[in-house]
Amino acid sequence: MGAPAHLERPHRYTLTAPALPTSPRLCRDFVRGVFTASGLNELADAAALCTSELVTNVHRHGKGDVRMAASVQHDRVRVTVHDDSPELPSPRRAMGNETNGRGLFLVTALSDLCGMTIDEPANGTGKSVWFEFNLPSAKASGTA
């Protein structure tokens, strides 16, 4: 019998989903499953919420399918959400009664690190928005 899944690092999972209203939930469940299977239950809910926010942005403002990757390393996990629009999201301050406009602030607040990149011309015309969580064991040992 092999080592537990969370000890078999690094590994990477990918998912492609259409930019539909159902995709945030599907992608959120996918990421929650990756974190749980990797022994990272304590980070699964925050990662699922961050994923949902980024995929919702693709559905509302992006272009093309959602392409996701979850990379589990020895010291961190990175979730990347890609679409075919080169326009980078722009955080804005939502007014108190608005129901939109807080997603990127949530991702920033919940994750250890986040960012965005535009594709290199040879690789396409889209962008990636990503977030990372340092693994609890890496935080405790100071190796993150």
mmCIF file of all heavy atoms in Angstrom, residues 61-89:
data_model
loop_
_atom_site.group_PDB
_atom_site.id
_atom_site.type_symbol
_atom_site.label_atom_id
_atom_site.label_comp_id
_atom_site.label_asym_id
_atom_site.label_seq_id
_atom_site.Cartn_x
_atom_site.Cartn_y
_atom_site.Cartn_z
ATOM 1 N N HIS A 61 -17.359 38.127 -16.450
ATOM 2 C CA HIS A 61 -16.546 39.115 -17.156
ATOM 3 C C HIS A 61 -15.540 38.530 -18.131
ATOM 4 O O HIS A 61 -14.953 39.272 -18.908
ATOM 5 C CB HIS A 61 -15.767 39.984 -16.148
ATOM 6 C CG HIS A 61 -16.602 40.524 -15.044
ATOM 7 N ND1 HIS A 61 -17.559 41.500 -15.245
ATOM 8 C CD2 HIS A 61 -16.653 40.213 -13.719
ATOM 9 C CE1 HIS A 61 -18.147 41.775 -14.089
ATOM 10 N NE2 HIS A 61 -17.613 41.003 -13.153
ATOM 11 N N GLY A 62 -15.298 37.237 -18.062
ATOM 12 C CA GLY A 62 -14.259 36.624 -18.869
ATOM 13 C C GLY A 62 -14.731 36.223 -20.244
ATOM 14 O O GLY A 62 -15.790 36.626 -20.719
ATOM 15 N N LYS A 63 -13.928 35.381 -20.859
ATOM 16 C CA LYS A 63 -14.196 34.952 -22.221
ATOM 17 C C LYS A 63 -13.713 33.506 -22.356
ATOM 18 O O LYS A 63 -12.617 33.176 -21.907
ATOM 19 C CB LYS A 63 -13.431 35.883 -23.172
ATOM 20 C CG LYS A 63 -13.619 35.616 -24.622
ATOM 21 C CD LYS A 63 -12.938 36.726 -25.403
ATOM 22 C CE LYS A 63 -12.241 36.160 -26.604
ATOM 23 N NZ LYS A 63 -11.440 37.159 -27.303
ATOM 24 N N GLY A 64 -14.545 32.664 -22.916
ATOM 25 C CA GLY A 64 -14.148 31.279 -23.150
ATOM 26 C C GLY A 64 -14.350 30.411 -21.918
ATOM 27 O O GLY A 64 -14.935 30.828 -20.916
ATOM 28 N N ASP A 65 -13.856 29.190 -22.031
ATOM 29 C CA ASP A 65 -13.977 28.223 -20.941
ATOM 30 C C ASP A 65 -13.085 28.593 -19.758
ATOM 31 O O ASP A 65 -12.100 29.311 -19.907
ATOM 32 C CB ASP A 65 -13.569 26.825 -21.421
ATOM 33 C CG ASP A 65 -14.556 26.237 -22.413
ATOM 34 O OD1 ASP A 65 -15.706 26.709 -22.477
ATOM 35 O OD2 ASP A 65 -14.163 25.297 -23.123
ATOM 36 N N VAL A 66 -13.443 28.057 -18.610
ATOM 37 C CA VAL A 66 -12.617 28.150 -17.406
ATOM 38 C C VAL A 66 -11.646 26.978 -17.437
ATOM 39 O O VAL A 66 -12.057 25.836 -17.610
ATOM 40 C CB VAL A 66 -13.490 28.034 -16.127
ATOM 41 C CG1 VAL A 66 -12.615 28.035 -14.891
ATOM 42 C CG2 VAL A 66 -14.530 29.124 -16.080
ATOM 43 N N ARG A 67 -10.371 27.271 -17.302
ATOM 44 C CA ARG A 67 -9.369 26.214 -17.179
ATOM 45 C C ARG A 67 -8.700 26.395 -15.824
ATOM 46 O O ARG A 67 -8.172 27.456 -15.537
ATOM 47 C CB ARG A 67 -8.384 26.290 -18.334
ATOM 48 C CG ARG A 67 -9.067 25.907 -19.645
ATOM 49 C CD ARG A 67 -8.145 25.919 -20.839
ATOM 50 N NE ARG A 67 -7.447 27.161 -21.102
ATOM 51 C CZ ARG A 67 -7.991 28.244 -21.670
ATOM 52 N NH1 ARG A 67 -9.268 28.277 -21.969
ATOM 53 N NH2 ARG A 67 -7.258 29.305 -21.897
ATOM 54 N N MET A 68 -8.779 25.362 -15.022
ATOM 55 C CA MET A 68 -8.261 25.444 -13.651
ATOM 56 C C MET A 68 -7.140 24.457 -13.445
ATOM 57 O O MET A 68 -7.113 23.395 -14.057
ATOM 58 C CB MET A 68 -9.356 25.061 -12.657
ATOM 59 C CG MET A 68 -10.365 26.108 -12.408
ATOM 60 S SD MET A 68 -11.440 25.586 -11.066
ATOM 61 C CE MET A 68 -10.283 25.045 -9.848
ATOM 62 N N ALA A 69 -6.260 24.799 -12.526
ATOM 63 C CA ALA A 69 -5.230 23.869 -12.075
ATOM 64 C C ALA A 69 -5.051 24.062 -10.575
ATOM 65 O O ALA A 69 -5.058 25.187 -10.082
ATOM 66 C CB ALA A 69 -3.914 24.125 -12.797
ATOM 67 N N ALA A 70 -4.920 22.956 -9.872
ATOM 68 C CA ALA A 70 -4.574 22.971 -8.451
ATOM 69 C C ALA A 70 -3.266 22.214 -8.318
ATOM 70 O O ALA A 70 -3.196 21.021 -8.629
ATOM 71 C CB ALA A 70 -5.671 22.320 -7.619
ATOM 72 N N SER A 71 -2.226 22.919 -7.914
ATOM 73 C CA SER A 71 -0.895 22.328 -7.764
ATOM 74 C C SER A 71 -0.553 22.217 -6.293
ATOM 75 O O SER A 71 -0.470 23.232 -5.594
ATOM 76 C CB SER A 71 0.154 23.189 -8.472
ATOM 77 O OG SER A 71 -0.153 23.319 -9.842
ATOM 78 N N VAL A 72 -0.364 21.002 -5.835
ATOM 79 C CA VAL A 72 -0.034 20.745 -4.435
ATOM 80 C C VAL A 72 1.467 20.491 -4.361
ATOM 81 O O VAL A 72 1.967 19.505 -4.901
ATOM 82 C CB VAL A 72 -0.820 19.535 -3.883
ATOM 83 C CG1 VAL A 72 -0.508 19.327 -2.414
ATOM 84 C CG2 VAL A 72 -2.317 19.724 -4.113
ATOM 85 N N GLN A 73 2.174 21.413 -3.725
ATOM 86 C CA GLN A 73 3.619 21.300 -3.559
ATOM 87 C C GLN A 73 3.924 20.844 -2.125
ATOM 88 O O GLN A 73 3.014 20.621 -1.346
ATOM 89 C CB GLN A 73 4.273 22.654 -3.844
ATOM 90 C CG GLN A 73 3.994 23.190 -5.237
ATOM 91 C CD GLN A 73 4.586 22.327 -6.322
ATOM 92 O OE1 GLN A 73 5.713 21.859 -6.218
ATOM 93 N NE2 GLN A 73 3.813 22.097 -7.379
ATOM 94 N N HIS A 74 5.198 20.767 -1.793
ATOM 95 C CA HIS A 74 5.577 20.364 -0.443
ATOM 96 C C HIS A 74 5.249 21.438 0.590
ATOM 97 O O HIS A 74 4.950 21.129 1.735
ATOM 98 C CB HIS A 74 7.073 20.027 -0.393
ATOM 99 C CG HIS A 74 7.422 18.847 -1.233
ATOM 100 N ND1 HIS A 74 7.062 17.564 -0.898
ATOM 101 C CD2 HIS A 74 8.052 18.760 -2.420
ATOM 102 C CE1 HIS A 74 7.479 16.737 -1.833
ATOM 103 N NE2 HIS A 74 8.074 17.435 -2.766
ATOM 104 N N ASP A 75 5.292 22.716 0.178
ATOM 105 C CA ASP A 75 5.122 23.807 1.130
ATOM 106 C C ASP A 75 3.911 24.704 0.858
ATOM 107 O O ASP A 75 3.587 25.566 1.662
ATOM 108 C CB ASP A 75 6.379 24.676 1.165
ATOM 109 C CG ASP A 75 6.704 25.297 -0.186
ATOM 110 O OD1 ASP A 75 6.148 24.860 -1.216
ATOM 111 O OD2 ASP A 75 7.532 26.234 -0.215
ATOM 112 N N ARG A 76 3.231 24.511 -0.284
ATOM 113 C CA ARG A 76 2.095 25.371 -0.620
ATOM 114 C C ARG A 76 1.193 24.690 -1.641
ATOM 115 O O ARG A 76 1.584 23.731 -2.281
ATOM 116 C CB ARG A 76 2.580 26.704 -1.169
ATOM 117 C CG ARG A 76 3.233 26.600 -2.520
ATOM 118 C CD ARG A 76 3.820 27.939 -2.965
ATOM 119 N NE ARG A 76 4.425 27.839 -4.263
ATOM 120 C CZ ARG A 76 5.619 27.326 -4.523
ATOM 121 N NH1 ARG A 76 6.351 26.839 -3.539
ATOM 122 N NH2 ARG A 76 6.086 27.288 -5.743
ATOM 123 N N VAL A 77 -0.009 25.251 -1.776
ATOM 124 C CA VAL A 77 -0.953 24.821 -2.794
ATOM 125 C C VAL A 77 -1.344 26.064 -3.583
ATOM 126 O O VAL A 77 -1.671 27.102 -2.997
ATOM 127 C CB VAL A 77 -2.224 24.184 -2.186
ATOM 128 C CG1 VAL A 77 -3.182 23.758 -3.271
ATOM 129 C CG2 VAL A 77 -1.869 23.018 -1.300
ATOM 130 N N ARG A 78 -1.298 25.957 -4.897
ATOM 131 C CA ARG A 78 -1.700 27.071 -5.764
ATOM 132 C C ARG A 78 -2.887 26.628 -6.613
ATOM 133 O O ARG A 78 -2.857 25.565 -7.214
ATOM 134 C CB ARG A 78 -0.573 27.520 -6.675
ATOM 135 C CG ARG A 78 -1.017 28.633 -7.643
ATOM 136 C CD ARG A 78 0.064 29.065 -8.583
ATOM 137 N NE ARG A 78 0.926 30.012 -7.890
ATOM 138 C CZ ARG A 78 1.651 30.942 -8.507
ATOM 139 N NH1 ARG A 78 1.612 31.042 -9.822
ATOM 140 N NH2 ARG A 78 2.402 31.755 -7.817
ATOM 141 N N VAL A 79 -3.905 27.469 -6.657
ATOM 142 C CA VAL A 79 -5.055 27.254 -7.533
ATOM 143 C C VAL A 79 -5.039 28.378 -8.554
ATOM 144 O O VAL A 79 -4.993 29.559 -8.194
ATOM 145 C CB VAL A 79 -6.386 27.237 -6.754
ATOM 146 C CG1 VAL A 79 -7.569 27.132 -7.707
ATOM 147 C CG2 VAL A 79 -6.388 26.093 -5.744
ATOM 148 N N THR A 80 -5.048 28.001 -9.825
ATOM 149 C CA THR A 80 -5.006 28.945 -10.927
ATOM 150 C C THR A 80 -6.283 28.822 -11.743
ATOM 151 O O THR A 80 -6.693 27.709 -12.080
ATOM 152 C CB THR A 80 -3.792 28.665 -11.835
ATOM 153 O OG1 THR A 80 -2.606 28.706 -11.046
ATOM 154 C CG2 THR A 80 -3.699 29.680 -12.959
ATOM 155 N N VAL A 81 -6.901 29.952 -12.055
ATOM 156 C CA VAL A 81 -8.103 30.002 -12.886
ATOM 157 C C VAL A 81 -7.758 30.815 -14.126
ATOM 158 O O VAL A 81 -7.320 31.968 -14.014
ATOM 159 C CB VAL A 81 -9.289 30.633 -12.121
ATOM 160 C CG1 VAL A 81 -10.502 30.768 -13.029
ATOM 161 C CG2 VAL A 81 -9.626 29.798 -10.887
ATOM 162 N N HIS A 82 -7.929 30.208 -15.296
ATOM 163 C CA HIS A 82 -7.554 30.842 -16.561
ATOM 164 C C HIS A 82 -8.776 30.998 -17.457
ATOM 165 O O HIS A 82 -9.663 30.148 -17.462
ATOM 166 C CB HIS A 82 -6.507 29.974 -17.269
ATOM 167 C CG HIS A 82 -5.982 30.579 -18.523
ATOM 168 N ND1 HIS A 82 -6.607 30.445 -19.742
ATOM 169 C CD2 HIS A 82 -4.893 31.339 -18.750
ATOM 170 C CE1 HIS A 82 -5.917 31.085 -20.653
ATOM 171 N NE2 HIS A 82 -4.879 31.648 -20.087
ATOM 172 N N ASP A 83 -8.807 32.114 -18.212
ATOM 173 C CA ASP A 83 -9.820 32.288 -19.261
ATOM 174 C C ASP A 83 -9.157 33.001 -20.428
ATOM 175 O O ASP A 83 -7.983 33.365 -20.362
ATOM 176 C CB ASP A 83 -11.054 33.031 -18.730
ATOM 177 C CG ASP A 83 -10.832 34.508 -18.531
ATOM 178 O OD1 ASP A 83 -10.412 34.899 -17.433
ATOM 179 O OD2 ASP A 83 -11.085 35.275 -19.481
ATOM 180 N N ASP A 84 -9.900 33.190 -21.515
ATOM 181 C CA ASP A 84 -9.328 33.717 -22.758
ATOM 182 C C ASP A 84 -9.384 35.227 -22.903
ATOM 183 O O ASP A 84 -9.008 35.760 -23.941
ATOM 184 C CB ASP A 84 -10.017 33.064 -23.970
ATOM 185 C CG ASP A 84 -9.691 31.584 -24.069
ATOM 186 O OD1 ASP A 84 -8.584 31.179 -23.659
ATOM 187 O OD2 ASP A 84 -10.549 30.821 -24.550
ATOM 188 N N SER A 85 -9.836 35.941 -21.904
ATOM 189 C CA SER A 85 -9.857 37.401 -21.972
ATOM 190 C C SER A 85 -8.546 37.947 -21.419
ATOM 191 O O SER A 85 -8.130 37.574 -20.324
ATOM 192 C CB SER A 85 -11.021 37.963 -21.147
ATOM 193 O OG SER A 85 -10.912 39.366 -21.074
ATOM 194 N N PRO A 86 -7.895 38.858 -22.142
ATOM 195 C CA PRO A 86 -6.644 39.427 -21.628
ATOM 196 C C PRO A 86 -6.866 40.537 -20.592
ATOM 197 O O PRO A 86 -5.913 41.011 -19.989
ATOM 198 C CB PRO A 86 -5.988 40.006 -22.887
ATOM 199 C CG PRO A 86 -7.140 40.354 -23.770
ATOM 200 C CD PRO A 86 -8.197 39.311 -23.494
ATOM 201 N N GLU A 87 -8.120 40.932 -20.376
ATOM 202 C CA GLU A 87 -8.392 42.011 -19.423
ATOM 203 C C GLU A 87 -8.269 41.505 -17.989
ATOM 204 O O GLU A 87 -8.958 40.572 -17.595
ATOM 205 C CB GLU A 87 -9.785 42.584 -19.662
ATOM 206 C CG GLU A 87 -9.900 43.308 -20.980
ATOM 207 C CD GLU A 87 -11.255 43.951 -21.171
ATOM 208 O OE1 GLU A 87 -11.779 44.514 -20.183
ATOM 209 O OE2 GLU A 87 -11.764 43.874 -22.287
ATOM 210 N N LEU A 88 -7.388 42.154 -17.240
ATOM 211 C CA LEU A 88 -7.188 41.772 -15.843
ATOM 212 C C LEU A 88 -8.340 42.298 -14.993
ATOM 213 O O LEU A 88 -8.843 43.395 -15.236
ATOM 214 C CB LEU A 88 -5.868 42.330 -15.323
ATOM 215 C CG LEU A 88 -4.610 41.766 -15.981
ATOM 216 C CD1 LEU A 88 -3.375 42.494 -15.456
ATOM 217 C CD2 LEU A 88 -4.496 40.277 -15.751
ATOM 218 N N PRO A 89 -8.744 41.524 -13.993
ATOM 219 C CA PRO A 89 -9.788 42.024 -13.093
ATOM 220 C C PRO A 89 -9.275 43.229 -12.318
ATOM 221 O O PRO A 89 -8.094 43.339 -12.017
ATOM 222 C CB PRO A 89 -10.073 40.853 -12.165
ATOM 223 C CG PRO A 89 -9.008 39.864 -12.379
ATOM 224 C CD PRO A 89 -8.285 40.200 -13.638
#
